[in-house]
Amino acid sequence: MLETVQSIGGSGPPQRGAEGTWFWKSGQRTIDPGVLSEAETARVARLVSPHKQNLLSASLAERRHLLSELLGCAPDRVEVVHDELGKPGLPDFQDVEISFSDSEGWNAFSLSRAGPVGVDLEFIRPVSWEPMLKMMARHEEASTIRAALAERTGLETFFRCWTAKEAILKAGGTGLKGGAPRIRLPVTYITGHSDQFTIEHDALVLSVETRQVGQLVLSRALAL
């Protein structure tokens, strides 16, 4: 699987002791699903669609193999827990912060040894974005996003804003439950004139970076 992993933001190859952000397409190589925990196996079994079961099983197993490379332990020995808000953690590596995301068979993973991190990945695709925009932004900011969308074909602008806000909220430990409208993105970011910015959120100062690779939009928020 590691041959298919790509990095962003100057991240090096996924090897023991490294930190950064990586993304990959699930199912490029056969990964033994036997490394999954009982909870992960049960999560896969709850899905009705066999296709979605296969995607989730591959994604979870690939995450474990990536973590094993970064942490220097066997894939089936990696313990990943989630708190009541869904934030993932590694109880055996409490100095390490992690974040996951997936969309349409693609996966992203961030690891930081310096503080909170959040990552979000979306595959650009047709969506009913107006109801989502109302969930994501207050009136004035929503108007700015609509205007930026009107100047471009496609939904890149929408997914840039969505992934940036979700990455920030993940770094804050709440995910979307933390309230995306509370976050005000810089206008230069919304309009596509900048791919990076710094923002204060819930006592954190975060560096936010977004990259588009083909139809993928990936945002990472990293505590400074």
Side-chain angles (χ1 to χ4, degrees), residues 155-175:
L155 293 177
E156 290 87 350
T157 296
F158 173 78
F159 284 112
R160 279 169 55 86
C161 297
W162 182 276
T163 58
K165 290 201 176 194
E166 187 157 3
I168 291 166
L169 290 166
K170 285 182 175 181
T174 64

Side-chain angles (χ1 to χ4, degrees), residues 20-22 24 63 66-67 70 80 82 86-90 96-102 107-112 115-121 163 166-173 175 218-222:
T21 298
W22 300 272
W24 70 95
R63 290 178 186 180
L66 182 56
L67 276 166
L70 294 165
V80 180
H82 295 79
K87 179 179 172 61
L90 301 168
V96 173
E97 296 273 354
I98 58 173
S99 183
F100 302 108
S101 184
D102 62 84
N107 299 268
F109 170 70
S110 284
L111 182 148
S112 172
V117 65
V119 68
D120 194 55
L121 170 78
T163 58
E166 187 157 3
I168 291 166
L169 290 166
K170 285 182 175 181
L218 190 156
S219 293
R220 177 188 64 184
L222 181 65

Side-chain angles (χ1 to χ4, degrees), residues 12-67:
Q15 57 191 7
R16 186 171 184 175
E19 55 186 317
T21 298
W22 300 272
F23 67 98
W24 70 95
K25 175 75 170 175
S26 278
Q28 299 298 294
R29 289 187 59 192
T30 301
I31 299 292
D32 179 14
V35 300
L36 300 186
S37 67
E38 289 185 8
E40 289 168 335
T41 301
R43 179 182 167 191
V44 171
R46 285 195 293 270
L47 296 176
V48 175
S49 164
H51 174 67
K52 290 184 177 180
Q53 285 183 337
N54 290 336
L55 276 181
L56 180 58
S57 178
S59 174
L60 293 172
E62 289 159 358
R63 290 178 186 180
R64 284 185 164 274
H65 278 269
L66 182 56
L67 276 166

Side-chain angles (χ1 to χ4, degrees), residues 3 18 51 63 69 83-84 93 97 105-106 116 145 148 172-173 178-179 204 210:
E3 290 88 341
H51 174 67
R63 290 178 186 180
E69 293 289 333
D83 66 16
E84 64 277 6
F93 300 88
E97 296 273 354
W106 285 89
I145 294 172
L204 293 173
T210 296

